[in-house]
Amino acid sequence: ESLLRRTWEKKDPAFCDLEEKLMTIQGIRPKTLLDLYKMYDRRNLEIPRSYKDKSGVRHIYESLPALDQSLIDITQNLILTKLKSIYGKERTMEGQKVYIDIPEDVDLCLSFRSGVEGQILPGHIEHFEKTGILRFFSQWIDPKGNQDLDIHAWFVDEDFSLIDRVGYTTSFVDRTEMIRHSGDIRHVQGNCAEYINIDFRRSKELPYRWMVIGVQNFDSPRLCDLENYIGVAKVSGNDDKFGMWTPTENEILTRTKVTLQEKNLLGYLVDFKESTVKYILEGIQSDLNSSVNLDLIRQYTIQSNLGLKKLLGLYLEAKGCIMMEEPDEETKVYTVEDINSGEISCMLLDS
C-alpha cells in the first residue's frame, strides 16, 4: 500500500515494474489476493480500517488518505492477472465444457465463510413485501438447562448515524411491534430457542437501511462448546406472541450449525432497501452485548465489483475450460448448491 501510494504520487518509474514484480512473487495464496482485492473496494471510504489477526482478534486503525481511483483500478486488475496466472499453472480441465448458473449479484466474500455446517444460501430469500414475518433465531440443544445463547439485532440507517439494538439488556422499544424479541424459550426440554421477528409487510415504515443479526454464547468463551444453530424461519399469519415454539415447527428457510471457536457470531445482514439477506457467518471476539463495530458492518454492505460468477469464470478459463452460453449433455454446470457444498470454495481458494 505504502509503495503503491508513493510511487504513484511521485510518478516513480518503479511503478511501471509493478506488474512484473507481482507476477514473479512466489507463494501468494489466492485467498490473500482476494482479501486484498476486496480491501481496495473499500479503500477510499472515510472509515477506520480493521484487521483480523490469526487469533481472531479484530484490530482497528485510523483511515488512510484517499488513493487515485485509477491506481485502485490498475491494482485490482493486476491482482486478477496474478490470480489467473496461479490458476493457470496447471490446465487440468483442458477442453471441459462448463456453464455457470449462479446469479451475478452473489458476493464474493460472503460465499467463503467458515465455521458453520449445513445450508448457506447467498443472495435473496424472497421479496420481503411478500414474506410477512421472518423469524431470525438461535437454537441450542441443552438437556441440563444451563446454557444460554443470546441473539441480537442492530438496526442501522443509510448514513450510519442511527443505530438501535434489540436483544438482551436492550432499552429499545418498537411501539409499532414490527420488531419483536422473544428472550429465552425453554418450553421443550433440551431444545431451546431465542428469536427476533421482523414484519416485512411493513418494513418500509422503519427508519433503517440495514439490520445485522448476531449471536453470543453467554456462558462460554466459545460457540462450539454446545450444539447450536442459527437460522431464518417464515412465520405465517400473525405473530404468536412468543408462545411455545421450536425451529422444527415452522417453515425454515435456512438453518446452519455453528462450529466457531469464537464466543460471538455475526450471522445475517438484511438490506431493507434491496430486499435481500446476506449470510455473513463470521466469528468475532468483541462483546456483542452493547455494540457492533460499524466498520465490520460497512465491510458487508459494500458490493464487490468482483462477484463470485466473474471469479469462477476466470478460474475455469485459466484451467482450460470452454465457457458455454447454454449447457448441453457434456457440460459441467456450477450452481449455488456447489457453493453450499464447498466445492467452489476449495477450487478458488486453493484449499
Side-chain angles (χ1 to χ4, degrees):
E1 164 75 23
S2 178
L3 174 64
L4 283 174
R5 190 167 62 249
R6 291 199 311 270
T7 54
W8 179 264
E9 291 171 353
K10 296 179 179 180
K11 305 302 180 184
D12 193 311
F15 186 83
C16 299
D17 300 328
L18 181 63
E19 180 174 0
E20 180 181 347
K21 291 176 179 177
L22 182 63
M23 291 303 112
T24 56
I25 294 176
Q26 302 297 314
I28 299 181
R29 299 289 299 272
K31 186 179 187 304
T32 303
L33 290 168
L34 290 171
D35 285 342
L36 187 62
Y37 188 100
K38 181 67 177 177
M39 184 274 287
Y40 277 105
D41 282 332
R42 310 186 308 276
R43 175 58 182 79
N44 281 349
L45 296 177
E46 295 289 337
I47 58 174
R49 297 169 288 152
S50 69
Y51 166 71
K52 188 174 180 181
D53 65 23
K54 292 183 178 179
S55 68
V57 176
R58 188 171 289 277
H59 304 272
I60 308 299
Y61 303 94
E62 292 182 359
S63 58
L64 290 168
L67 288 180
D68 189 301
Q69 185 59 45
S70 298
L71 173 58
I72 292 176
D73 295 341
I74 290 171
T75 304
Q76 287 187 316
N77 286 333
L78 289 177
I79 292 170
L80 292 182
T81 302
K82 178 64 175 179
L83 268 172
K84 191 170 184 178
S85 73
I86 293 173
Y87 291 148
K89 285 181 179 178
E90 297 182 4
R91 295 176 66 88
T92 54
M93 303 173 70
E94 194 75 52
Q96 168 70 58
K97 296 180 180 179
V98 294
Y99 177 76
I100 304 176
D101 188 19
I102 296 174
E104 296 281 355
D105 63 351
V106 173
D107 196 294
L108 174 65
C109 80
L110 298 174
S111 305
F112 296 146
R113 305 270 50 101
S114 59
V116 297
E117 299 173 354
Q119 186 182 41
I120 308 169
L121 300 177
H124 296 258
I125 284 184
E126 59 180 300
H127 291 294
F128 293 161
E129 59 269 22
K130 300 177 182 178
T131 298
I133 299 170
L134 285 186
R135 173 165 290 171
F136 296 82
F137 65 86
S138 61
Q139 175 193 15
W140 62 102
I141 310 303
D142 181 25
K144 295 182 180 179
N146 57 8
Q147 293 281 0
D148 188 7
L149 204 63
D150 291 324
I151 191 168
H152 305 263
W154 291 265
F155 296 86
V156 185
D157 67 354
E158 187 84 39
D159 61 1
F160 291 84
S161 62
L162 173 66
I163 302 179
D164 288 318
R165 186 178 70 88
V166 173
Y168 177 61
T169 70
T170 183
S171 59
F172 173 79
V173 176
D174 173 34
R175 302 191 186 283
T176 67
E177 295 193 343
M178 284 185 283
I179 304 169
R180 301 192 52 150
H181 176 229
S182 69
D184 292 344
I185 300 174
R186 297 176 180 267
H187 294 293
V188 180
Q189 181 64 33
N191 192 351
C192 309
E194 186 167 325
Y195 57 83
I196 292 174
N197 283 0
I198 311 295
D199 189 343
F200 286 103
R201 296 167 299 184
R202 301 168 56 202
S203 63
K204 294 187 183 302
E205 300 175 29
L206 296 171
Y208 309 110
R209 170 67 189 273
W210 291 287
M211 175 180 71
V212 181
I213 295 289
V215 176
Q216 177 184 37
N217 192 335
F218 183 78
D219 296 313
S220 173
R222 293 177 298 273
L223 279 163
C224 62
D225 283 349
L226 72 161
E227 184 180 350
N228 70 93
Y229 305 83
I230 62 169
V232 184
K234 183 177 180 180
V235 181
S236 58
N238 295 321
D239 189 346
D240 58 12
K241 305 300 182 184
F242 310 132
M244 194 174 203
W245 180 83
T246 61
T248 57
E249 294 175 358
N250 280 43
E251 179 187 351
I252 296 178
L253 300 174
T254 177
R255 188 184 81 149
T256 61
K257 182 178 181 180
V258 180
T259 58
L260 289 170
Q261 292 290 328
E262 288 89 350
K263 180 182 180 69
N264 308 299
L265 167 74
L266 287 185
Y268 301 99
L269 172 70
V270 176
D271 187 330
F272 291 117
K273 183 177 180 180
E274 300 297 332
S275 295
T276 59
V277 175
K278 291 181 178 179
Y279 298 76
I280 300 176
L281 304 174
E282 176 174 348
I284 58 175
Q285 295 285 1
S286 58
D287 188 5
L288 294 184
N289 264 338
S290 56
S291 64
V292 63
N293 188 278
L294 282 181
D295 180 44
L296 200 58
I297 296 178
R298 285 186 175 97
Q299 179 170 303
Y300 293 105
T301 58
I302 300 165
Q303 182 73 28
S304 172
N305 61 23
L306 177 62
L308 182 64
K309 183 174 183 177
K310 179 179 177 181
L311 177 62
L312 181 58
L314 181 147
Y315 173 92
L316 294 172
E317 287 182 347
K319 289 295 183 184
C321 292
I322 302 171
M323 307 301 294
M324 303 290 289
E325 294 186 4
E326 294 291 339
D328 58 25
E329 293 181 356
E330 299 177 350
T331 301
K332 163 68 176 175
V333 179
Y334 290 93
T335 67
V336 171
E337 284 68 31
D338 295 314
I339 304 174
N340 301 337
S341 68
E343 179 181 349
I344 293 178
S345 298
C346 291
M347 293 164 57
L348 299 181
L349 300 182
D350 191 27
S351 59

